Amino acid sequence: MRALAVNDISCVGKCSLTVALPVLSACGATVDILPTALLSTHTGGFSGYTFLNLDDEMKKICDHWETLGLKYDVILSGYLGSRSQIDFVKEVKRRFLKEGGIFIVDPVLGDNFQFYRGFDEGFASDMGTLCALADYILPNDTEAFLLTGERDASRALEKLSLLCPHPVITGADDEDGYFLHYFDGAKKRMPLKKVDGSFHGAGDVFASAFAGCIGRGMALEEALKLTVEFCYRSILRTAREVPDKKYGMNYEQELSILTSHFAGK
Ligand code: PXL
């Protein structure tokens, strides 16, 4: 299975491509990358970070790839550095996704009911147009709200299901607990064990594992169960081992959950 991860390179603070490469690889994927921006750190909690937008380079990279005839079974889109990149990723899907391939969009916009630095309503609205081309979208509760205007996850899911066949809201509080909400022909939810605190990069760990599982042919519910187990174990480890959560998740020693599942398959 050949996957393309479209995301930024944050040199410090594990997220984006530094997470997508190892996690997708652990699922047995051959992973290529299309970097959207180069940052000294991610933007969540560090000050003074550097940011190089790679708009022009992305176009040149894709023109070269066309000469190689590359096609992907799965394309996973994550953090995009500009509104024009959102349009360009639509073109990447057209040019490089195999017939019958799977397009997964993690609409990276914000967390804790706030935009990440550099994003605004216009960006969210454009991101909605990219979500409309996806087979699966993976917003967190904040992103589901920013895309739909609904704070209630069940109502947000309903609106997102008009946009894309399989929205997955990766964690939201309900009146009776903490759930992952997903649409699979009907609204469904899966209980999640909540660990206190905020875990930077958790969305990228989730999206990468999910894309790997779906790319390897798992059905939606099975893919979600394995992804949730891998994320939960990584979060527990991070809670124990990482004092400063902006440095990202310690998922590395939990990759065996994925490698052992896919061993010999
Ligand atoms: O984890 C999402 C993410 C990805 N990439 C960059 C970010 C963030 C969140 O802060 O800043 C550059």
Side-chain angles (χ1 to χ4, degrees), residues 8-37:
D8 70 273
I9 301 175
S10 290
C11 298
V12 167
K14 290 176 273 183
C15 66
S16 314
L17 286 181
T18 65
V19 166
L21 263 165
V23 173
L24 276 159
S25 298
C27 297
T30 293
V31 196
D32 292 338
I33 60 168
L34 182 57
T36 59

Side-chain angles (χ1 to χ4, degrees), residues 116-130:
Y116 292 131
R117 269 179 267 182
F119 296 157
D120 58 17
E121 277 81 11
F123 192 89
S125 149
D126 285 3
M127 189 62 94
T129 66
L130 185 64

Side-chain angles (χ1 to χ4, degrees), residues 7-8 10 15-16 39 41-44 51 79 108 116 200-201 203-204:
N7 216 327
D8 70 273
S10 290
C15 66
S16 314
L39 299 89
T41 66
H42 63 68
T43 67
F51 183 100
Y79 181 99
V108 176
Y116 292 131
H200 200 280
D204 302 293

Side-chain angles (χ1 to χ4, degrees), residues 6 26 28 37 40 52 58 72 79 83 105 115 150 159 166 176 191 194-195 212 215 225 232 248 256:
V6 184
S40 53
L52 175 68
M58 286 170 76
Y72 294 94
Y79 181 99
R83 290 177 77 170
V105 174
F115 281 109
E150 297 284 356
K159 283 197 177 168
H166 297 299
D176 51 349
K194 198 167 187 179
V195 181
K225 280 187 191 156
Y232 180 63
S256 58

Side-chain angles (χ1 to χ4, degrees), residues 106-179:
D106 180 4
V108 176
L109 293 168
D111 208 352
N112 301 314
F113 288 87
Q114 286 188 336
F115 281 109
Y116 292 131
R117 269 179 267 182
F119 296 157
D120 58 17
E121 277 81 11
F123 192 89
S125 149
D126 285 3
M127 189 62 94
T129 66
L130 185 64
C131 290
L133 300 177
D135 300 293
Y136 299 88
I137 57 172
L138 310 172
N140 61 26
D141 56 349
T142 300
E143 289 153 351
F145 163 68
L146 294 171
L147 288 167
T148 64
E150 297 284 356
R151 271 182 188 265
D152 175 77
S154 178
R155 279 205 294 276
L157 186 75
E158 214 159 287
K159 283 197 177 168
L160 291 172
S161 73
L162 304 174
L163 206 60
C164 149
H166 297 299
V168 175
I169 301 175
T170 54
D173 285 309
D174 257 8
E175 63 287 346
D176 51 349
Y178 186 58
F179 291 90

Side-chain angles (χ1 to χ4, degrees), residues 4 6 72-78 80 86 88-94 96-98 100-106 127 129-138 164-166 210-211 214:
L4 174 64
V6 184
Y72 294 94
D73 302 293
V74 174
I75 297 180
L76 170 62
S77 165
L80 303 180
I86 296 176
F88 188 66
V89 174
K90 296 176 187 169
E91 194 181 318
V92 169
K93 181 198 173 196
R94 247 190 339 269
F96 297 106
L97 189 65
K98 257 186 203 164
I102 301 163
F103 184 46
I104 302 175
V105 174
D106 180 4
M127 189 62 94
T129 66
L130 185 64
C131 290
L133 300 177
D135 300 293
Y136 299 88
I137 57 172
L138 310 172
C164 149
H166 297 299
F210 178 77
I214 288 289

